[in-house]
Amino acid sequence: MKPTTYPSDLTDARWALLGPLLPPDRHLGRPRKAGLRPIVDAILYRNRNGCTWRALPHDFPPWRTVYNYFRRWRDDGTWGAINDALRGAVRREAGRDPTPSAGSIDSQTIKATEVGGPHGYDGAKGLTGRKRHLIVDTLGLLLAVTVTSAAADDGTAAPRVLAKLDRDSYPRLKRLWADNKYRNHALEGWMSEHGWYVIEVTSRPPKSGEFRVIKWRWVVERTFAWLGRCRIHSRDYERKTESSEAQVQISMIQLMLRRLAGEKYRSPFRYHRTAYKSAA
């Protein structure tokens, strides 16, 4: 066990939920020198705090070992499979069917670093970086994620994330809510060929300049806010977009594990409040 416990470390209740979902030991090759729990703790630590792999504290397993597990589970779809399994469990606990019948789609533009990989300029937001395209259910839980250059138009890039929705996995899906960016002729042509659901564009009332909460469309915005709790998402630090997508899945896995374990989110930091004496 590590001598120091970090806020991002798995509790016993969360590990009991996550452990059975991880890939089993391989029958061939050398046995593992590090246990899976400290490796997962190290991956969650980086996801939560946004440090580089080499900057992982020394009481975790070697950073290269941790990175190799992250990369292996990224490439073989383990992170996506865990996200799907936990999402079904959270929905059942909430009294819902494991598969959703509706959801929301939207994108978020964030700055990128100089490490390379796809990036571009989003003229509407005035940012150079990447876009996260998310599809979530009505609870805000992740269904699919794709990361592209920020220059990609939402409607034009939508088929890349929509293609990750499989009809066998989501047979009840009937509707996705979206904003005006998804009123796109190319997207409509793709939907007519591949979609078994409809994309319903919901707009603000005409001549309303003030901020309005649009019914059901706000759910995906709340998911973006949840992701903002993890510093790894303050910018896109990854060279490969596949790694960026895996980090989104890991953040949602942390959130769902906390819910299933019955643990509420509590920030480990509080500003000091000066005690003032009341006047006599």
Side-chain angles (χ1 to χ4, degrees):
M1 295 294 294
K2 303 191 304 296
T4 305
T5 301
Y6 300 99
S8 58
D9 285 354
L10 292 169
T11 61
D12 291 339
R14 281 184 258 174
W15 175 247
L17 294 167
L18 180 61
L21 301 177
L22 296 174
D25 293 339
R26 295 180 177 179
H27 298 292
L28 302 177
R30 292 182 300 175
R32 286 174 174 155
K33 291 185 178 180
L36 288 184
R37 183 167 179 175
I39 288 174
V40 174
D41 282 340
I43 294 173
L44 298 182
Y45 177 91
R46 179 179 181 268
N47 178 267
R48 188 72 179 178
N49 297 283
C51 66
T52 62
W53 291 107
R54 289 175 174 83
L56 285 173
H58 295 297
D59 47 357
F60 286 122
W63 73 267
R64 192 173 294 278
T65 300
V66 177
Y67 172 71
N68 287 339
Y69 274 95
F70 164 80
R71 184 180 60 181
R72 182 189 307 167
W73 292 342
R74 175 200 68 191
D75 295 340
D76 66 10
T78 295
W79 296 122
I82 294 174
N83 180 81
D84 293 341
L86 294 178
R87 184 186 62 247
V90 172
R91 289 182 59 85
R92 282 192 293 268
E93 191 173 85
R96 307 290 187 92
D97 192 279
T99 60
S101 61
S104 300
I105 180 173
D106 204 354
S107 70
Q108 179 190 47
T109 303
I110 41 91
K111 293 181 179 180
T113 61
E114 67 282 356
V115 297
H119 65 279
Y121 181 72
D122 183 351
K125 300 296 177 62
L127 294 177
T128 298
R130 292 176 176 171
K131 274 187 180 181
R132 300 186 186 114
H133 304 264
L134 262 61
I135 303 176
V136 301
D137 65 5
T138 53
L139 297 180
L141 305 179
L142 183 68
L143 301 181
V145 56
T146 294
V147 177
T148 66
S149 162
D153 178 72
D154 290 1
T156 305
R160 295 181 58 179
V161 64
L162 293 171
K164 296 183 177 181
L165 298 179
D166 179 68
R167 188 165 190 170
D168 294 334
S169 301
Y170 304 103
R172 300 178 62 248
L173 188 61
K174 301 297 182 185
R175 180 179 292 104
L176 291 177
W177 288 283
D179 59 21
N180 290 327
K181 280 286 188 177
Y182 294 88
R183 189 174 279 117
N184 182 285
H185 293 298
L187 175 58
E188 292 172 0
W190 187 90
M191 286 292 299
S192 64
E193 183 177 354
H194 300 92
W196 66 97
Y197 48 88
V198 297
I199 295 181
E200 183 177 316
V201 175
T202 55
S203 306
R204 291 186 303 177
K207 299 181 180 180
S208 61
E210 70 277 4
F211 173 76
R212 293 287 186 91
V213 176
I214 308 301
K215 186 177 181 180
W216 296 119
R217 233 181 66 190
W218 66 272
V219 175
V220 66
E221 301 293 349
R222 183 181 60 180
T223 303
F224 285 126
W226 288 341
L227 295 177
R229 295 175 178 173
C230 300
R231 290 192 176 184
I232 197 70
H233 301 304
S234 60
R235 285 185 178 228
D236 198 318
Y237 297 99
E238 307 295 341
R239 183 181 301 273
K240 294 186 175 182
T241 57
E242 294 86 351
S243 296
S244 303
E245 295 164 5
Q247 292 293 351
V248 172
Q249 293 168 338
I250 292 171
S251 297
M252 295 303 297
I253 287 170
Q254 290 193 73
L255 182 145
M256 291 186 289
L257 285 173
R258 190 180 298 113
R259 288 191 183 183
L260 291 172
E263 301 168 1
K264 293 185 178 180
Y265 172 77
R266 291 183 176 86
S267 174
F269 176 78
R270 292 289 187 274
Y271 284 103
H272 175 70
R273 293 185 177 181
T274 304
Y276 296 96
K277 294 183 178 180
S278 60

